[in-house]
Every structure is written in C-alpha cells, then in structure tokens.
Amino acid sequence: MKIVTIIGARPQFIKAAAISRVLKDYNDLKEIIIHTGQHYDNNMSEVFFQELEIPKPDYYLGIGSGGHGVQTGRMLEKIEEVLIKENPDVVLVYGDTNSTLAGVLVASKLQIPVAHVEAGLRSFNKKMPEEINRIVADHVSDLLFAPTKTAVDNLIREGIPREKIFNVGDVMFDAALYYGEKADKESNILEKLELKPGQYILSTIHRAYNTDIAERLKAIFEGLSRISREVTVVLPLHPRTKVALIRERLFEYVSEYIKIIEPVGYIDMIKLEKNSRLIVTDSGGVQKEAFFYKVPCVTLREETEWVELVELGWNHLVPPSSADMVEEGIKQALNSSSRLDAQPYGDGKSSEKIVKVLRKYLYQYS
C-alpha cells in the first residue's frame, strides 16, 4: 500500500517524523514524501529533516513564499503532477497550512482518499488563513484524526459523520516525549548562548496578523523590550518577523533589549523551551510544547485552537492591542500558578493509533 505524505512547514515536519517512525515498521506500507518547500529557509526546513531523522523527501517542489493565492496555486499544479504519477492509496496531510489545503484539494479532485492529522481544531476566527484551511481540509477528508475530545465535538457539530472521526491524541505529544530526551543529551544551546535554566523568557513571533499589522507588531516588541529589562528575552527570529521589524524601523531598537538569535533546529528549540521560565508565542505548536515541558505560556492572540490549555490555566491569552497589555500579561503569567493534573492530549502513542487505523482502512477498501 502506498501513502503519500504532504508537508511544507516546521510543525508538519515534527508530526510527520513521529508517524514516519511507525510506518517504517510495516513492510506492506510504502511512504512517499512530498515537501512543498513552503518553509524554504535552510534553518526552517532542511535541518529539521536531519535532526528529526525523517527520510529525505521523494519530491521537493520548491514553492517558496508568496501570497496565499500564488503559493497555493503553484502547489496545486505541482502536487497534482506527483499524485497522478504515484497514484497512492491515500494522501496524508497535517495541520492547517497552505500545503495542507493544496494537498486535500488535489487529492479529493483525483478521488484519492485523504487522511487529516490534527483534525477538528477551531479558533472560530475566519480572519486567520489557517482557520479556512482547517475547515476545508476536514470537510473533504475521509479519515479525520482528532487530537482531543474538543476537536471531535467540533467535527460532529459541523455534521461530519462520526465513523470518519478518530480521537487518537496528539502526535506532538509523541514527538515531545521522544525528542525531549534527545535534546537533553545532544543540545548545548544554553552554553552557546550563555543562558541559565529558568532565568530567561523564550519568545517566538511569526503569525501574519502580528507581523503585518504595524500596530500589533509595535505593541508586541515594545512590551517584550520592557520585560527584557527585568528578565532576559530570547527571540529566535523568523524571517517574516525580521522583514517586518526592518520595515517598521524597529529592528535596531529591539536588538538593544532582546537577545535575537537566528532560527534554531528542533533539538535546540526543545532545549530552549524546556529550560525557559516562560514562553511568549503566537504559535499553535509552541503553546503545546510549553505544556508538555511544564513551562507557563503567554499566547499573543485573541483566541487559540488549544482551548484546553487556557482552561487549565497553563496558557494565558493576551491580545497584543498595546504594549501595556503585552507587558502586564507577561508579568501576570510570570507570577501565576497552573494545574498539572490533566493530560488532554493522549498517552504519547498517537502515531501508532493513526497507522493502525490507516492500515485497517486501506485493506478494507483495497
């Protein structure tokens, strides 16, 4: 049986790595990997394949950046060529990127079954491109692998047949357990950056609605700069964010206060996450990684798809409408307490459950 995996962005590399490790154990399953090239920077892409031990992609499409229409359109054309050539039994997609959207559209039009990992997430904010991608992916997929009960409930509420939905837990938890141990043994990023555990804040900012809107960008980085005078703030700088800071003439100012570093590999990132005092982010994946490593988190957004973390008091939503709000939200989180008596994301064996469902489905309809 042939499975085509479509990935293109950092969080997808991590999720795919967890499932690829399980797929290797089955001689009757052959995985073909398509890398769209959505994350094209070496530090954002190739290094992850090396560190995560993901097989080298069978196809690298080299799409790169561009507007949503341009980027998705190019993906549609190139993914279609590959799927026609390979004629897989199922297409496996992850999350909510343009790579996900393009993959499900092409596969469904070619009448190839689609399996969506991380199905059912909803922020209920359609201004987010990711929200549109999630909804479309879920409604054309044949197998929906939900990470939480909340995600299952969302899908059922939208009228998706129950027999298509599988609550398997979160593959990110699988990855956190596996690579967390690896990071402890292999990463020396703290020594390189002269950081001490529990004495710095780690921040990641990259969402378009935070980088492309000048007022939000200024509020975030003014707030972080104020905090950095009391606690060291470390910022692995996403290429999009760097361009935005330079555009708004904020880069030099921010560099005076915040410890800006180049994007780091996944193993180093985990080491930074595990040893930070607090994480400040707008990333969906990093929110969960913070929880997995028992580090409090501030999410600079109005909403999150990971509502369980807010309910547990582990994740603090702070809309970045002003520098004062960002600063105050971070200070409150530094002094808050959180519940650790729940694990809403499964038992760390999500990948095994997904592969078992895939095999059963493939043999049932072969």
Side-chain angles (χ1 to χ4, degrees):
M1 296 291 182
K2 187 185 293 186
I3 298 170
V4 164
T5 294
I6 298 175
I7 50 180
R10 172 191 179 274
Q12 295 170 330
F13 306 153
I14 300 165
K15 297 162 195 167
I19 294 180
S20 289
R21 277 199 308 276
V22 179
L23 288 173
K24 290 177 187 175
D25 294 335
Y26 293 89
N27 294 328
D28 58 341
L29 299 178
K30 179 182 180 182
E31 183 182 29
I32 305 293
I33 297 177
I34 300 175
H35 181 357
T36 65
Q38 184 170 336
H39 273 177
Y40 54 92
D41 181 273
N42 183 64
N43 287 335
M44 301 292 287
S45 179
E46 187 173 335
V47 68
F48 281 95
F49 279 83
Q50 297 167 0
E51 292 185 338
L52 299 176
E53 303 159 13
I54 304 175
K56 184 178 179 181
D58 299 274
Y59 297 91
Y60 178 74
L61 305 186
I63 301 298
S65 63
H68 290 291
V70 171
Q71 189 179 64
T72 307
R74 290 173 179 166
M75 290 179 187
L76 288 169
E77 181 180 7
K78 293 195 173 184
I79 291 172
E80 183 177 55
E81 292 174 1
V82 176
L83 293 188
I84 290 173
K85 176 183 176 182
E86 292 290 347
N87 190 29
D89 296 287
V90 68
V91 169
L92 187 61
V93 297
Y94 295 82
D96 54 21
T97 69
N98 286 340
S99 299
T100 309
L101 177 64
V104 300
L105 288 176
V106 173
S108 62
K109 287 178 180 290
L110 293 175
Q111 298 184 8
I112 300 170
V114 178
H116 184 203
V117 175
E118 210 173 71
L121 300 187
R122 297 292 182 269
S123 67
F124 302 102
N125 178 5
K126 290 188 177 179
K127 292 181 180 179
M128 295 175 61
E130 296 86 356
E131 185 78 351
I132 304 300
N133 294 347
R134 293 176 195 134
I135 293 170
V136 173
D138 286 338
H139 282 266
V140 300
S141 292
D142 301 275
L143 296 172
L144 296 99
F145 295 116
T148 64
K149 182 182 182 301
T150 301
V152 171
D153 293 342
N154 288 338
L155 294 170
I156 292 173
R157 193 180 304 117
E158 292 177 12
I160 292 176
R162 184 66 180 82
E163 61 269 21
K164 290 185 174 184
I165 305 168
F166 301 86
N167 186 356
V168 294
D170 197 329
V171 293
M172 288 291 284
F173 188 30
D174 299 20
L177 295 174
Y178 181 85
Y179 293 107
E181 292 183 8
K182 188 174 182 180
D184 288 338
K185 297 174 184 176
E186 298 181 9
S187 175
N188 64 350
I189 189 72
L190 298 188
E191 292 79 7
K192 281 184 180 180
L193 299 178
E194 299 180 344
L195 297 170
K196 294 182 178 180
Q199 296 188 22
Y200 63 91
I201 293 171
L202 177 67
S203 181
T204 72
I205 306 296
H206 77 282
R207 297 278 184 179
Y209 48 80
N210 280 337
T211 61
D212 295 355
I213 300 173
E215 292 76 14
R216 295 172 73 96
L217 184 77
K218 292 174 182 176
I220 289 169
F221 283 98
E222 174 60 32
L224 285 171
S225 296
R226 292 178 190 174
I227 291 292
S228 68
R229 295 161 198 178
E230 302 176 24
V231 183
T232 298
V233 176
V234 179
L235 177 75
L237 190 57
H238 191 285
R240 174 193 286 151
T241 311
K242 183 175 182 179
V243 169
L245 288 172
I246 293 172
R247 181 191 68 229
E248 300 300 329
R249 300 181 180 179
L250 291 170
F251 185 77
E252 290 185 7
Y253 167 75
V254 170
S255 300
E256 289 181 22
Y257 296 101
I258 295 175
K259 190 177 185 73
I260 292 178
I261 63 174
E262 291 294 315
V264 296
Y266 185 52
I267 301 302
D268 283 342
M269 187 63 179
I270 286 177
K271 190 68 173 284
L272 287 171
E273 289 174 351
K274 291 185 73 172
N275 290 278
S276 60
R277 180 178 170 185
L278 176 75
I279 291 175
V280 179
T281 187
D282 58 9
S283 163
V286 174
Q287 293 173 44
K288 287 186 298 173
E289 287 167 350
F291 176 73
F292 297 150
Y293 299 130
K294 298 179 173 54
V295 177
C297 181
V298 167
T299 297
L300 296 176
R301 288 163 49 178
E302 282 80 7
E303 72 292 300
T304 177
E305 52 274 38
W306 303 108
V307 295
E308 302 85 6
L309 300 183
V310 177
E311 293 168 355
L312 290 170
W314 202 258
N315 190 2
H316 306 263
L317 284 177
V318 178
S321 54
S322 71
D324 289 343
M325 185 171 288
V326 171
E327 180 184 16
E328 185 59 29
I330 293 173
K331 286 182 176 179
Q332 288 181 7
L334 284 169
N335 298 304
S336 67
S337 59
S338 309
R339 287 175 54 201
L340 280 174
D341 59 348
Q343 179 45 271
Y345 300 116
D347 57 6
K349 297 181 179 179
S350 303
S351 301
E352 296 171 20
K353 295 173 184 176
I354 288 170
V355 173
K356 286 180 181 178
V357 172
L358 276 173
R359 288 185 81 246
K360 182 178 179 180
Y361 177 85
L362 290 171
Y363 280 102
Q364 181 179 350
Y365 292 99
S366 63

